[in-house]
Amino acid sequence: MDGAEASTEVRDAFHAGPMAQAKLTLGMQLRVRGITNAHVLSAMLDEVPRERFVIQSMADRAYEDVTLPIGLGQTISQPFIVALMSQLLEPSPGKTVLEIGTGCGYQAAILAKLFEHVYSIERHADLAETARERLRQLDCTNISVHLGDGFLGLPDLAPFDAIILTAAPRKVPNALLNQLSFGGRLVMPLELENGDQFLMRYTNSKAGLFEEKLNPVRFVPMIQGLPVKNGPQATEISRESLPIESPKVDSIL
Ligand code: SAH
């Protein structure tokens, strides 16, 4: 964008109201932090209404670059992390993506604008159902939400061109690596023994599996199996994607 375009954009946003201004600010913050993929920016700022995924009283804060509550003790990820993970998957039309951890469905809705089809697995039946209904209302017809254990993936539908985990395991799940297509990318938060988490990217290349250690992040833990009836439902969700230090992304993008 050149200077003249930028000033027109600023003037239009000023006249369009607070949400347009907030989107403009968020767009600038995302670009400054290394989000350069125009399709990702458009999905985040123009195509998917983040205000529909947060609780109503927070709708006016939907385009701030922060984690927000979405009800039932859950949170929605910070836009920067959603954008960064989406960009790292190197999306293109015609490709498929597998997401582990549907949650409220926001990341899935963004991916739906960037990929041919999104397969998303959630282990909580109530979250899967609410996300399905919300995504249906938003006409996201190229997302299928599956109830199940993401550690297993969806072997019958594999391989996938991209795989994204939005909950953090302690090691890279082998079953998921095996479901990655040739040339495909898996992006995930990995929890180390000391409790720190890093965003990791694995590329399935000719020469073998290529690993990149990227930004420090904070996601909820990835939990094996389906929840037991009457067991804790929401406790592990409240840690999801807490605000993180501004990472240096230039070197890895
Ligand atoms: N992508 C979501 C955020 C997900 S929060 C969004 O955009 O809102 C992490 C989610 O991962 C939670 O909903 C949690 O229930 C789910 N989860 C944790 N372990 C899982 C597993 N083994 N399989 C599937 N989902 C899992």
Side-chain angles (χ1 to χ4, degrees):
M1 170 178 8
D2 64 22
E5 267 180 66
S7 63
T8 312
E9 205 183 342
V10 170
R11 194 192 56 218
D12 291 349
F14 181 78
H15 289 298
M19 193 170 284
Q21 289 172 43
K23 282 187 185 184
L24 188 68
T25 305
L26 177 60
M28 287 174 186
Q29 288 167 340
L30 294 178
R31 287 184 191 98
V32 164
R33 295 179 77 180
I35 308 301
T36 51
N37 184 313
H39 300 291
V40 171
L41 288 166
S42 160
M44 302 280 310
L45 301 168
D46 303 324
E47 296 178 70
V48 177
R50 191 167 186 259
E51 64 276 19
R52 296 278 293 274
F53 292 82
V54 302
I55 51 175
Q56 238 183 346
S57 59
M58 291 283 174
D60 59 340
R61 298 192 58 197
Y63 292 91
E64 288 179 24
D65 196 16
V66 292
T67 302
L68 288 176
I70 54 172
L72 302 172
Q74 297 171 65
T75 56
I76 184 171
S77 297
Q78 180 194 10
F80 169 65
I81 291 296
V82 173
L84 177 63
M85 291 176 86
S86 304
Q87 176 166 285
L88 286 166
L89 291 171
E90 298 187 6
S92 67
K95 288 188 181 176
T96 56
V97 59
L98 171 67
E99 178 193 34
I100 310 303
T102 314
C104 73
Y106 178 68
Q107 174 80 69
I110 294 292
L111 294 173
K113 305 295 177 198
L114 306 168
F115 287 86
E116 185 78 17
H117 196 91
V118 183
Y119 300 90
S120 186
I121 309 180
E122 173 55 56
R123 66 188 284 277
H124 279 287
D126 50 349
L127 291 183
E129 196 40 52
T130 311
R132 248 185 227 126
E133 177 55 22
R134 182 181 287 118
L135 294 167
R136 196 188 57 74
Q137 283 171 13
L138 292 171
D139 285 328
C140 296
T141 51
N142 60 337
I143 305 176
S144 34
V145 177
H146 300 250
L147 179 64
D149 181 358
F151 276 101
L152 307 175
L154 294 172
D156 294 347
L157 296 165
F160 303 96
D161 300 307
I163 300 181
I164 175 172
L165 277 60
T166 62
R170 293 234 163 91
K171 67 188 271 292
V172 191
N174 261 328
L176 297 181
L177 283 178
N178 290 335
Q179 292 173 32
L180 197 56
S181 72
F182 197 66
R185 290 181 166 73
L186 184 151
V187 173
M188 59 175 274
L190 181 67
E191 183 152 317
L192 309 182
E193 263 177 35
N194 66 3
D196 289 350
Q197 291 180 8
F198 285 90
L199 210 55
M200 307 293 293
R201 177 163 71 168
Y202 297 89
T203 304
N204 193 8
S205 75
K206 255 191 197 150
L209 199 65
F210 179 65
E211 178 188 78
E212 293 161 278
K213 185 177 177 188
L214 308 167
N215 314 50
V217 285
R218 180 121 309 262
F219 278 79
V220 295
M222 187 162 159
I223 296 169
Q224 212 121 27
L226 295 191
V228 277
K229 265 227 152 82
N230 305 322
Q233 290 288 309
T235 43
E236 80 270 26
I237 297 168
S238 55
R239 273 177 60 210
E240 198 249 329
S241 200
L242 298 173
I244 54 163
E245 300 272 303
S246 181
K248 290 182 180 56
V249 289
D250 292 350
S251 55
I252 53 101
L253 292 175

